[in-house]
Amino acid sequence: MRGLALALCLGAASSFLLRPAPSARGLLGRRAAVSAAPAAAPTSGWDRAAWAKGYTTPRDELSVQLESSSLPDDLVGTYFRNGHAQFEVGSDRVMHPFDADGMVAAATFMGNGTCYFRNRFVRTRGFQDEQRAGKMLYPGQFGNARPFWDSKKTKNVANTNVIWWGGRLLALWEGGQPYKLDPLSLGTAGATDLLNVVPKDQSMSAHPRFDANSGRLVAYGYKPNPLTGTALRMFEFDADFNLMPPLKSPKGTPAKVVEATVPGVFGLFHDCVVTENFIAFTASPQGLGDLGSAGLDLLLGKKSPGESIKFDASKPAQILVFRRDGAGDPSKPYKVIDVDTHFNFHYANAFEEGGKLVMDTVRADRLELGNGAKGKKDGEPIWESVDFAEEVPASNLWRYTLDLSGDGKLVSREQLSLRALDFPVVNKRVSGKKHRFVWANCGGDGETSAPPQGIVRIDTEKGMGAEQSWFPPPHQFCGEPCFARRQSQPDASPEAQAEDDGYILTYVVDGEASSTDLVVLDASDLAKGPVARLPLGTNLPHGLHGSFAEDITPTVDELKKAKVLLKMYERKSKEWNQVDAASVASESSSSLAKKESMVAEKAAAWHWKRLTRREGGLRRTKERAGPVNYGKHQRRSSSRSGQSRNFLAARVEVLSPVSHL
């Protein structure tokens, strides 16, 4: 049943679910009331063949320095993005992209015309098992079904999102624990339980939400059960990743995970919205249908969990609203508000106004996981047969306003854009507060369902007539937009800036050239096109979610050293990243001066020995090394040897699998 807890929600919304993965090469081979408005203007369409090539396994894992005089000086920090990227293991092809192993990409902007790019697969246990075996060993959640006697447990593909919070970089997948990474090298430390907040038998959603009102990170995990309903676990962290008590609790209230069960709901809670006082989910009407038949198909490997889900269009969707402070009747921990029948994967944002909850959601008429393509043949990946216009419902941005007094009720719903779109984002400083602007991926066929291709900015105050958009040529496809504020005055408060004063970052996949570019757009004026465009030198597939970290600002030298130290660390470890062992010697000896490399290797070996003696060694090494900040790299020692030891200690500390955090 844990596989069902995936909620078939590893990523995009229904209008963008099915992206192709044709031939690919090995892991490291070379290369309610609708506002009246004009219809969304059609664009130039999209190239299906080029779109299909966007689901090819990357040729390379890179760590390279890029230069461009067009890069803005006031863009400083690191853009992280995650996504499905391994579309075959040996001769076995992945049948649905959401089952592909994740790859995290990172681009650090220095503010001086330099950007340092790196991309790397997340080395989960399942990833390593299958790479060593040269074939698939685990059942998929959306395809690649296997009978129970011929498969291992669910594989954590760590492919959906990546966040930087509390000094930790986490790759997320909502069917299991987060995976901890090094923000400099992108090396994988391993799964983390976040100090027992997310035990091995539980999960953390790929869509935690930042609450700008309290400064907390609000996260959750869930398990749908067709018999008992959906079990929810909600938890909040402060800026140092400490578990917190319920919001506004009296001083001394212990920190805790809030648990609740929603009976009669087979929840697919891929995303949530968080406001100053509430956390809300959409419970759309789906289930497994005939449990006996569905269960037998799962056991015999005839269907994957995703292929077993059925949407019931005869029932309404429901909004579940929980109080974050735990107040109210304990026997009724949440309100249930019926709304029109629909499905949603993603929200843009939500806020409270005049006693009402206002939420902007990406709404589709039904759930479509891509497993019902009319022309699909046995053994054929879904992207080879899907017809977007005929089979995939378009998803649009809608605003729902709820009255939370009494039992609660729907006040109004309003369509904010006619475009087929998904992956909406807002400026982080208005997360959980009233916002004006939403940026999103939009399709290339106007109102008709299509893969994400361009970027649109929606002005929720001025309406549809004020939309801005930018589209690349038909054979190129943008990923999720990511907002990064302009740092012309780094010490100024973000609240003092205009809400759209910043940049939109995205990767653009070129299917014709089998290449990918990093694109920077002006968030306030998309129509003028890219401010900067940097070819990466490899192909990144269509991706999923990401984030921007202003305080990850290492130097180029530190990033190069982190790469070398990762290779040396892999050589020391017997259980970790074994697929790269053969390439260690040549890369490490050529990347740094010989003397510095020898010193670094001895220091890394010493730290590794100390850290693996026992779990407590981690914190003692941290204290001995002194405080390390990824942006300023503060150190107690001013000598070169002291700096090297501190830098090494920080890297090994991040990568060590003995750490729960």
Side-chain angles (χ1 to χ4, degrees), residues 623-641:
E623 292 169 1
R624 178 172 59 252
V628 178
N629 179 284
Y630 286 112
K632 297 179 171 53
H633 286 276
Q634 302 163 346
R635 302 178 179 89
R636 289 177 183 168
S637 172
S638 59
S639 68
R640 180 175 180 180
S641 60

Side-chain angles (χ1 to χ4, degrees), residues 24-88:
R25 305 189 59 183
L27 170 64
L28 296 176
R30 293 305 298 167
R31 317 276 181 288
V34 181
S35 298
T43 63
S44 57
W46 53 285
D47 182 328
R48 185 183 177 92
W51 169 73
K53 291 181 181 178
Y55 269 73
T56 301
T57 300
R59 297 186 295 270
D60 306 279
E61 289 181 314
L62 297 179
S63 183
V64 295
Q65 181 176 338
L66 307 175
E67 302 285 346
S68 174
S69 59
S70 60
L71 279 172
D73 293 341
D74 51 7
L75 175 59
V76 180
T78 299
Y79 167 39
F80 296 103
R81 195 207 69 176
N82 200 351
H84 26 53
Q86 184 73 27
F87 299 105
E88 67 289 311

Side-chain angles (χ1 to χ4, degrees), residues 124-169:
T124 65
R125 294 278 183 167
F127 175 88
Q128 295 182 76
D129 288 346
E130 292 187 333
Q131 290 299 314
R132 286 192 289 267
K135 62 180 181 180
M136 289 184 179
L137 303 173
Y138 297 84
Q141 300 303 305
F142 301 88
N144 296 98
R146 300 171 72 101
F148 73 93
W149 62 83
D150 186 33
S151 64
K152 293 190 175 185
K153 295 181 179 180
T154 300
K155 179 176 68 168
N156 186 334
V157 290
N159 69 1
T160 313
N161 201 353
V162 56
I163 63 168
W164 170 254
W165 184 263
R168 295 160 184 88
L169 185 68

Side-chain angles (χ1 to χ4, degrees), residues 46-236:
W46 53 285
D47 182 328
R48 185 183 177 92
W51 169 73
K53 291 181 181 178
Y55 269 73
T56 301
T57 300
R59 297 186 295 270
D60 306 279
E61 289 181 314
L62 297 179
S63 183
V64 295
Q65 181 176 338
L66 307 175
E67 302 285 346
S68 174
S69 59
S70 60
L71 279 172
D73 293 341
D74 51 7
L75 175 59
V76 180
T78 299
Y79 167 39
F80 296 103
R81 195 207 69 176
N82 200 351
H84 26 53
Q86 184 73 27
F87 299 105
E88 67 289 311
V89 183
S91 60
D92 297 334
R93 295 186 69 188
V94 174
M95 294 292 107
H96 196 294
F98 290 177
D99 289 326
D101 292 292
M103 169 178 277
V104 172
T108 297
F109 298 92
M110 310 291 184
N112 59 1
T114 298
C115 174
Y116 198 94
F117 172 81
R118 57 267 190 213
N119 63 304
R120 186 173 173 82
F121 283 103
V122 183
R123 263 64 169 180
T124 65
R125 294 278 183 167
F127 175 88
Q128 295 182 76
D129 288 346
E130 292 187 333
Q131 290 299 314
R132 286 192 289 267
K135 62 180 181 180
M136 289 184 179
L137 303 173
Y138 297 84
Q141 300 303 305
F142 301 88
N144 296 98
R146 300 171 72 101
F148 73 93
W149 62 83
D150 186 33
S151 64
K152 293 190 175 185
K153 295 181 179 180
T154 300
K155 179 176 68 168
N156 186 334
V157 290
N159 69 1
T160 313
N161 201 353
V162 56
I163 63 168
W164 170 254
W165 184 263
R168 295 160 184 88
L169 185 68
L170 301 178
L172 304 177
W173 175 79
E174 64 208 62
Q177 294 176 316
Y179 262 78
K180 180 185 169 190
L181 311 179
D182 175 14
L184 272 62
S185 66
L186 300 184
T188 307
T192 170
D193 61 14
L194 300 177
L195 287 179
N196 297 316
V197 175
V198 188
K200 285 186 177 181
D201 63 339
Q202 297 292 342
S203 64
M204 174 173 164
S205 168
H207 273 289
R209 287 274 176 172
F210 172 67
D211 173 27
N213 301 283
S214 64
R216 292 184 177 191
L217 182 73
V218 182
Y220 65 97
Y222 69 101
K223 286 186 176 182
N225 185 307
L227 298 177
T228 61
T230 299
L232 266 168
R233 303 174 75 250
M234 293 163 280
F235 35 95
E236 304 191 10

